[in-house]
Amino acid sequence: MSVSIPLRALSSGYNIPAIGLGVYQSADAETIVYEALKKGYRLVDTAQEYGNEAATCRGISKFLKETGTNRREVFYTTKLDDATGGYEGTMQLAEARLAEARKGGIDYIDLLLIHAPFSKSPYTETRLAAWKALTELVDGGAIRSIGVSNYGVKHLKEFWDADVKYKPVLNQVESSPWNVRQDIHDFCKSHNVIVEQYSPLCRGNRFKEPGVLKLADKYKKTPAQILIRWSLDKGMLPIPKTDNVDRLSPNLDVFDFNLTPQEVEDLQDLNSYTCYEWDPTVTK
Ligand SMILES: NC(=O)c1ccc[n+]([C@@H]2O[C@H](COP(=O)([O-])OP(=O)(O)OC[C@H]3O[C@@H](n4cnc5c(N)ncnc54)[C@H](OP(=O)(O)O)[C@@H]3O)[C@@H](O)[C@H]2O)c1
């Protein structure tokens, strides 16, 4: 059964689905993306780093063709590695992302992110030069919205200090009850930047937490659904990954209940700072 996913407004004027599918380390991105779209997913998240952009786009194209769905109903996100290339290098990486998408039959990117704030001296200037390349591509029309990933508050502030033409529409970060990063939430909220949450299931490592099990019992939901609901009720946009077709629908079946603000808070361990992947938010 296909479900209808709420939309959220980006500062670029476009809408983004409130939950998506991540395809990092997916064994067969084309198939899982196609199956996910059939089950109601409308947002897919990939990256240069994942090596599966064309396969992801083939999954989208197949779905659009077979179902007669309009391209604008599906939201395609990818990322270029980092900002070290400044203006020239970033322009090349972005063009390569478009070329990969075209290989899979997709001719524009809904959202292009800089995967990490890694830069080179002079760090801020290099990051802003990289960003300028992306703003020009937005003006060219092949990329609709631009954003960042793994940016700490220090990196985010640079956009507002420099008064760039387009601000990042979202920041994709790891933020779990065991690594909340409230400073990033606060900055993003006050600057109209959506926090998109990666590794929302903590890679399967937190399903047995007593607080999670208690809520699962109360709401008659699985631990995975409780973690995804925590993300939504924290104000984030989660992108859980699964390679398992049978888990696609359950991971979307989270719109018939809410955690209370107290439950969202109670699940958080503010003394913990566990990263399941990497931590570029603290880079220079
Ligand atoms: N920007 C960044 O730096 C960054 C970093 C990491 C990730 N990401 C993005 O975020 C996405 C999600 O994060 P993630 O892949 O790190 O991890 P995740 O979504 O937290 O967890 C994925 C793991 O949970 C399992 N799983 C999924 N649904 C489940 C369910 N209902 N019950 C039990 N287990 C379940 C999956 O196994 P099966 O596949 O076997 O179901 C997989 O092992 C990535 O795919 C990627 O798009 C971005």
Side-chain angles (χ1 to χ4, degrees):
M1 196 190 73
S2 181
V3 296
S4 175
I5 297 172
L7 295 173
R8 298 186 60 177
L10 294 169
S11 63
S12 57
Y14 292 101
N15 288 327
I16 184 169
I19 185 169
L21 176 77
V23 295
Y24 178 46
Q25 296 180 326
S26 290
D28 177 356
E30 178 175 346
T31 302
I32 201 71
V33 165
Y34 170 72
E35 293 295 335
L37 293 169
K38 281 204 295 188
K39 293 188 187 309
Y41 285 76
R42 288 295 177 267
L43 160 60
V44 184
D45 179 83
T46 182
Q48 171 185 351
E49 166 73 16
Y50 307 167
N52 59 17
E53 291 167 297
T56 296
C57 289
R58 280 198 302 275
I60 298 173
S61 298
K62 185 176 172 196
F63 170 78
L64 297 179
K65 226 174 275 167
E66 276 188 20
T67 58
T69 304
N70 197 297
R71 164 71 182 88
R72 65 171 178 268
E73 300 297 320
V74 176
F75 195 100
Y76 172 61
T77 304
T78 190
K79 321 180 191 79
L80 53 84
D81 278 353
D82 58 42
T84 49
Y87 178 87
E88 288 294 337
T90 301
M91 190 60 96
Q92 279 169 20
L93 288 185
E95 295 286 5
R97 310 288 54 81
L98 280 164
E100 287 300 306
R102 286 189 198 111
K103 277 188 207 164
I106 294 299
D107 63 358
Y108 70 87
I109 294 170
D110 290 281
L111 175 63
L112 180 62
L113 306 179
I114 299 181
H115 209 147
F118 300 134
S119 183
K120 66 179 182 209
S121 178
Y123 297 94
T124 298
E125 287 76 3
T126 307
R127 264 192 294 274
L128 291 173
W131 189 252
K132 185 165 186 295
L134 299 195
T135 62
E136 289 179 13
L137 288 165
V138 168
D139 287 336
I143 291 165
R144 293 198 158 175
S145 302
I146 49 179
V148 292
S149 177
N150 294 299
Y151 273 47
V153 170
K154 161 184 133 70
H155 310 116
L156 291 168
K157 271 189 179 145
E158 292 171 354
F159 294 111
W160 276 265
D161 290 346
D163 197 23
V164 295
K165 184 170 183 186
Y166 304 119
K167 305 292 193 293
V169 297
L170 64 74
N171 186 19
Q172 183 182 119
V173 290
E174 183 170 359
S175 167
S176 77
W178 302 279
N179 187 0
V180 176
R181 295 185 160 132
Q182 191 59 44
D183 60 334
I184 293 180
H185 286 274
D186 294 343
F187 185 93
C188 287
K189 190 166 186 196
S190 60
H191 292 81
N192 195 20
V193 177
I194 288 177
V195 180
E196 187 174 59
Q197 180 209 30
Y198 72 70
S199 306
L201 303 175
C202 300
R203 302 236 165 118
N205 286 290
R206 298 285 185 170
F207 292 153
K208 292 195 171 133
E209 288 286 338
V212 173
L213 290 172
K214 192 173 132 201
L215 292 169
D217 185 50
K218 174 177 172 184
Y219 291 108
K220 306 292 169 233
K221 291 284 181 181
T222 66
Q225 289 166 331
I226 295 297
L227 288 180
I228 293 170
R229 196 62 240 179
W230 179 85
S231 170
L232 294 166
D233 289 323
K234 183 78 183 164
M236 294 191 286
L237 193 163
I239 46 168
K241 174 260 171 188
T242 183
D243 262 356
N244 187 330
V245 174
D246 294 338
R247 287 174 172 166
L248 287 168
S249 289
N251 286 356
L252 273 195
D253 183 18
V254 290
F255 292 101
D256 59 350
F257 77 113
N258 284 94
L259 303 185
T260 67
Q262 192 62 51
E263 287 168 342
V264 169
E265 220 174 280
D266 288 349
L267 208 55
Q268 299 177 171
D269 177 358
L270 297 176
N271 296 316
S272 169
Y273 193 96
T274 306
C275 296
Y276 288 102
E277 178 70 23
W278 55 344
D279 190 8
T281 64
V282 294
T283 195
K284 261 198 202 170

